[in-house]
Amino acid sequence: MGKTWKQALKIIFQVAHELYRVMVGKRLIARHVLGVCLTLLGLLVAGAQVYAQEQETDVPDPCSGLLAILDRPTVSTSPCATPRGQFMLEMGFQRSKPRDPVSGTMDNYPQAEVRIGLPGRNEFTLIPPSYNRQRTRSGSDSIAETVSGYSALTLGLKHELGYTRQWLGAVQALFTLPSGSSAYGSEGLGVAFNGIASYALSEQVGLTLQLGISSQTDPELAGGERFTAFVS
């Protein structure tokens, strides 16, 4: 476990360094962002052999079941990486409605998430844009106004740190590209770093904790301002 933690920290520092180089330049374009993401993916693939050399243990793999790997319908991300050479597609539909029934609705779909298993308990994540359609009205007799558009494209990398009989941990980096519509997209590059831990209370019940920091930008119509948030 000690060697795995050191390698994971090394990857995190390399991620931070690449991110800093990109963020210093004010004229950020999608080509540079994709270059950084591909560089980070190369780092994980190059270090796959190091992570794959796991010590023999009699502890059963907590990520051997499908339900352990799935992100949906839970709020937090699963610490389990998709098995090497496999991919997983998760989709969903969400309709939001305020308490006031005449205020309108907000639909979001298909909420797709493509997860591809890499060597060494690593995972590449692709979150394509989702379609958003918001209908609002000021009163029961007013005409509904509709605003629609697509969210931004997000790329991610996750590494499963290791596990014991009760604990399982992972680290994740997400990159939101400057893309999407003016109403629901991202004006600039967004980044997020998450730490995910799971604790098994029993063979059937467990708790998952996710802590992270995120730096994102508002859509163009909202001003395109950058904001930072701590996520749990």
Side-chain angles (χ1 to χ4, degrees):
M1 288 293 295
K3 187 174 182 180
T4 300
W5 277 99
K6 290 180 180 179
Q7 293 294 332
L9 289 175
K10 182 178 179 181
I11 292 293
I12 292 174
F13 285 129
Q14 290 173 328
V15 168
H17 175 70
E18 290 293 334
L19 177 61
Y20 175 78
R21 287 201 311 112
V22 174
M23 293 299 293
V24 167
K26 294 183 178 180
R27 296 180 179 179
L28 180 65
I29 58 177
R31 182 182 59 187
H32 293 163
V33 179
L34 287 173
V36 172
C37 294
L38 291 176
T39 299
L40 297 176
L41 179 60
L43 289 173
L44 288 181
V45 174
Q49 295 301 322
V50 176
Y51 293 120
Q53 296 175 354
E54 300 176 349
Q55 298 180 354
E56 294 185 1
T57 176
D58 58 351
V59 178
D61 187 355
C63 298
S64 58
L66 177 62
L67 293 180
I69 302 174
L70 288 174
D71 286 342
R72 314 285 172 86
T74 59
V75 177
S76 61
T77 301
S78 170
C80 296
T82 302
R84 175 181 178 178
Q86 301 182 24
F87 80 94
M88 183 174 297
L89 172 62
E90 301 182 44
M91 303 178 70
F93 173 85
Q94 180 179 13
R95 165 162 287 191
S96 303
K97 194 170 184 179
R99 294 181 178 179
D100 184 359
V102 302
S103 297
T105 59
M106 173 70 175
D107 295 336
N108 179 277
Y109 57 91
Q111 297 184 338
E113 181 184 34
V114 181
R115 301 166 58 191
I116 302 174
L118 302 176
R121 294 185 177 271
N122 295 308
E123 176 185 288
F124 174 75
T125 303
L126 169 65
I127 304 177
S130 287
Y131 180 72
N132 298 269
R133 186 171 184 268
Q134 183 175 9
R135 294 170 56 88
T136 59
R137 61 177 63 190
S138 57
S140 58
D141 298 330
S142 62
I143 300 176
E145 298 181 0
T146 302
V147 178
S148 61
Y150 289 91
S151 59
L153 171 67
T154 299
L155 305 177
L157 297 169
K158 181 170 67 176
H159 174 67
E160 188 181 316
L161 296 175
Y163 58 86
T164 64
R165 290 189 180 276
Q166 291 183 301
W167 287 99
L168 170 64
V171 290
Q172 181 187 50
L174 296 172
F175 302 87
T176 301
L177 306 187
S179 56
S181 66
S182 58
Y184 298 100
S186 177
E187 181 69 9
L189 172 67
V191 295
F193 295 100
N194 298 316
I196 312 164
S198 178
Y199 180 78
L201 297 174
S202 67
E203 293 184 358
Q204 292 79 27
V205 181
L207 297 176
T208 299
L209 173 66
Q210 178 173 323
L211 296 175
I213 183 172
S214 175
S215 177
Q216 307 290 338
T217 57
D218 289 324
E220 180 183 351
L221 291 183
E225 297 294 329
R226 178 168 297 278
F227 63 92
T228 301
F230 291 92
V231 184
S232 62

